[in-house]
């Protein structure tokens, strides 16, 4: 066992932040040998119970749950910041040509290693990420994550139409490959598989049907895709699937809405769609830097809450512009404030932080496993230095409340805040 003394941030079951200015985090193995949180709370209340345990003094720092990125594309690490006129030209001119290189496993591993280094620098300890349509890209990412002991989820992209040579796959073979990858990787160490149709326009009915059958057969496996990101895309789906009630409805028709299904964006949904999300247990990966960069629209938090649907935050790199959870949380605040296309509101700092940690874990069906630092959670956490820059030091010293402290970190923070990352 080992203990860490510092300010400590956790969340209660209702998503409210719990804060100890002088806190103690005790980690150690559980009965099955996993490294988990054994105790957390105020130093004064806990220290007598753990008298024999070595305590590392990190006072002046803030310990918080490792961040969870609910939607990111590791193969697009080098596509970040590509100049393009919106989603569809961006895919055609930058993303697809780049992703075609991931048929080469050695190349994929090289990018995966860089990607995981980058996540660690930014304090991200779990990601639900797209690979590419090549099985080699999945093997490379899982091998890299396994070597680092990460809780990590990815899957082979399914895209058997409206895709150029080099990334387009074959319907039958894509489903055979998906099942082989599920058997090879799902549940190995901390790894999980996600059935990954790119989005409805790039899959045939047969491919989506096959994906839905696999999702029914392997209920513990995740599903990830994109939905209702931009208006051109929504119109295209309506032409391709005239029988479907809505874009989201396409996925429902093929059995791809259920617990552990995570859909990026969810911007142009209607009330029926949002209720369908809640009823099926599917969750939205809100991707604010990406939505602002590509001009896609604004996630409607008020409508999502009214419907009771689950959501959490995501970088969506390479459409997104940063791996930093701080940049993502700040952009989510901008998205919330926008009040011209939907009701504007002010998300609280604690709520923003929750969406990128415990809330994201709940969206993934990993509540109680990662994303929080109450006892029993796997010990993935970050050590933040609130004085990492002169302005942060000045601002956080003046903070009179937890809200003021967290908001200063969100608005001014980046990778310089992250002093250290621990993974279970
Ligand atoms: Zn995406």
């Amino acid at each position: 066992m080992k203990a860490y003394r510092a300010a400590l941030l956790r969340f209660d079951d209702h998503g409210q932040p719990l804060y100890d200015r002088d806190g103690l985090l005790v980690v150690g193995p559980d009965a099955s040998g996993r490294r988990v949180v054994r105790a957390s709370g105020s130093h004064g209340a806990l220290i007598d119970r753990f008298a024999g345990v070595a305590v590392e003094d990190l006072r002046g720092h803030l310990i918080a749950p490792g961040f969870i990125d609910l939607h990111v594309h590791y193969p697009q690490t080098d596509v970040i910041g590509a100049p393009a006129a919106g989603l569809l030209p961006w895919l055609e001119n930058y993303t697809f040509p780049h992703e075609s290189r991931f048929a080469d496993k050695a190349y994929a591993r090289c990018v995966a290693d860089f990607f995981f280094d980058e996540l660690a620098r930014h304090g991200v300890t779990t990601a639900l990420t797209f690979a590419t349509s090549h099985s080699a890209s999945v093997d490379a990412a899982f091998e890299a994550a396994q070597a680092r002991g990460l809780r990590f989820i990815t899957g082979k992209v399914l895209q058997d139409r409206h895709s150029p040579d080099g990334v387009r796959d074959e319907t039958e073979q894509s489903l055979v490959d998906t099942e082989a990858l599920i058997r090879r990787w799902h549940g190995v160490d901390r790894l999980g598989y996600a059935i990954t149709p790119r989005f409805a326009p790039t899959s045939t009915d047969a491919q989506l049907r096959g994906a839905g059958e696999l999702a029914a057969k392997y209920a513990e496996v995740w599903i990830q895709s994109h939905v209702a990101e931009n208006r051109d895309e929504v119109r295209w789906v309506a032409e391709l699937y005239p029988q479907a009630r809505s874009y989201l409805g396409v996925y429902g028709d093929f059995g791809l809405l259920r617990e552990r299904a995570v859909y990026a964006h969810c911007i142009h949904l209607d009330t029926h769609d949002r209720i369908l999300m809640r009823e099926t247990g599917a969750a939205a990966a809100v991707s604010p830097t990406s939505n602002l960069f590509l001009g896609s629209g604004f996630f409607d938090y008020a409508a999502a809450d009214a419907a009771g649907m689950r959501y959490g935050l995501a970088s969506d790199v390479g459409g997104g512009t940063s791996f930093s959870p701080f940049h993502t949380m700040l952009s989510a605040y901008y998205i919330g404030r926008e009040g011209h296309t939907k009701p504007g509101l002010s998300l609280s700092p604690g709520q923003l932080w929750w969406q990128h940690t415990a809330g994201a874990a709940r969206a993934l069906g990993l509540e109680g496993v990662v994303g929080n630092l109450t006892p029993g959670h796997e010990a993935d956490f970050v050590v933040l230095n609130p004085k990492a820059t002169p302005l942060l030091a000045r601002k956080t010293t003046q903070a009179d409340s937890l809200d003021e402290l967290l908001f200063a970190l969100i608005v001014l923070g980046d990778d310089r805040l992250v002093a250290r990352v621990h993974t279970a």
Side-chain angles (χ1 to χ4, degrees):
M1 274 203 285
K2 173 142 195 217
Y4 304 86
R5 182 177 187 180
L8 180 63
L9 178 68
R10 298 160 293 149
F11 294 91
D12 70 13
D13 292 343
H14 307 289
Q16 295 302 310
L18 301 169
Y19 181 63
D20 292 287
R21 194 180 295 271
D22 184 12
L24 191 73
L25 178 72
V26 184
V27 304
D30 68 2
S32 59
R34 291 181 319 154
R35 193 161 178 266
V36 298
V37 175
R38 299 287 297 271
S40 57
S42 90
H43 177 268
L46 287 173
I47 192 63
D48 289 347
R49 267 175 60 199
F50 298 95
V53 175
V55 179
E56 184 173 357
D57 192 342
L58 295 169
R59 276 178 287 180
H61 290 76
L62 172 65
I63 291 177
F67 291 102
I68 296 173
D69 191 334
L70 216 43
H71 176 76
V72 58
H73 301 249
Y74 96 81
Q76 294 176 17
T77 299
D78 293 317
V79 180
I80 197 166
L87 172 66
L88 300 177
W90 176 84
L91 280 173
E92 192 179 333
N93 297 329
Y94 287 98
T95 302
F96 287 157
H98 191 75
E99 288 193 7
S100 68
R101 300 180 65 181
F102 285 73
D104 174 354
K105 187 176 169 188
Y107 179 76
R109 177 62 192 259
C110 187
V111 176
D113 280 324
F114 183 90
F115 169 80
F116 287 118
D117 286 348
E118 199 63 13
L119 292 188
R121 280 193 337 100
H122 288 284
V124 177
T125 49
T126 285
L128 172 60
T129 174
F130 271 51
T132 65
S133 56
H134 317 94
S135 289
S137 74
V138 178
D139 289 329
F142 275 135
E143 286 169 14
Q146 187 176 34
R148 291 158 195 256
L150 296 177
R151 183 163 284 286
F152 172 74
I153 307 162
T154 191
K156 176 202 134 43
V157 175
L158 299 167
Q159 52 180 126
D160 65 349
R161 67 166 169 171
H162 298 141
S163 307
D165 294 348
V167 295
R168 190 180 57 257
D169 59 12
E170 297 289 332
T171 312
E172 277 300 313
Q173 191 61 43
S174 73
L175 299 167
V176 169
D177 290 346
T178 295
E179 186 158 20
L181 288 164
I182 291 170
R183 289 168 180 266
R184 189 179 312 154
W185 289 111
H186 185 75
V188 174
D189 297 338
R190 303 176 77 201
L191 308 175
Y193 192 84
I195 297 166
T196 307
R198 179 161 218 121
F199 64 149
T202 50
S203 286
T204 59
D205 283 24
Q207 193 175 47
L208 291 180
R209 191 172 305 111
E213 285 164 7
L214 288 170
K217 183 171 174 184
Y218 298 96
E220 293 299 303
V221 159
W222 281 268
I223 299 166
Q224 59 177 343
S225 192
H226 300 90
V227 73
E229 177 174 4
N230 115 356
R231 294 200 183 280
D232 290 343
E233 172 209 13
V234 172
R235 271 191 288 275
W236 191 20
V237 172
E239 287 164 20
L240 292 170
Y241 295 94
Q243 77 289 359
R245 198 202 68 80
S246 68
Y247 185 168
L248 186 74
V250 173
Y251 297 120
D253 293 345
F254 288 107
L256 292 166
L257 295 178
R258 63 155 166 73
E259 299 270 337
R260 297 199 164 196
V262 177
Y263 285 84
H265 308 303
C266 295
I267 294 169
H268 307 286
L269 300 184
D270 63 17
T271 305
H272 270 88
D273 290 326
R274 294 188 181 96
I275 289 170
L276 184 60
M277 293 287 287
R278 183 195 67 213
E279 286 177 344
T280 56
V286 183
S287 307
T289 72
S290 172
N291 300 156
L292 292 169
F293 181 66
L294 292 169
S296 302
F298 304 91
F299 182 79
D300 188 339
Y301 278 102
D305 286 343
M309 63 184 265
R310 292 180 196 175
Y311 53 81
L313 284 176
S315 69
D316 191 29
V317 164
T321 53
S322 176
F323 284 104
S324 171
F326 302 100
H327 291 187
T328 299
M329 290 188 285
L330 177 57
S331 297
Y333 182 79
Y334 297 154
I335 294 273
R337 284 296 318 153
E338 191 279 334
H340 301 281
T341 65
K342 58 162 184 66
L345 45 76
S346 291
L347 295 163
S348 73
Q351 163 62 215
L352 289 163
W353 209 292
W354 179 83
Q355 287 182 40
H356 226 338
T357 54
R362 194 184 66 147
L364 281 174
L366 289 175
E367 200 169 16
V369 179
V370 288
N372 207 348
L373 293 176
T374 52
H377 285 84
E378 294 173 354
D380 290 343
F381 61 94
V382 293
V383 180
L384 305 176
N385 174 12
K387 296 187 166 62
T389 71
L391 184 55
L392 270 167
R394 188 179 173 89
K395 188 73 189 156
T396 57
T397 304
Q398 295 175 46
D400 280 332
S401 66
L402 178 61
D403 270 3
E404 289 181 9
L405 172 66
L406 296 182
F407 210 39
L409 301 179
I410 289 169
V411 173
L412 300 173
D414 55 32
D415 52 303
R416 290 171 293 182
L417 264 180
V418 182
R420 237 203 264 173
V421 177
H422 288 252
T423 42

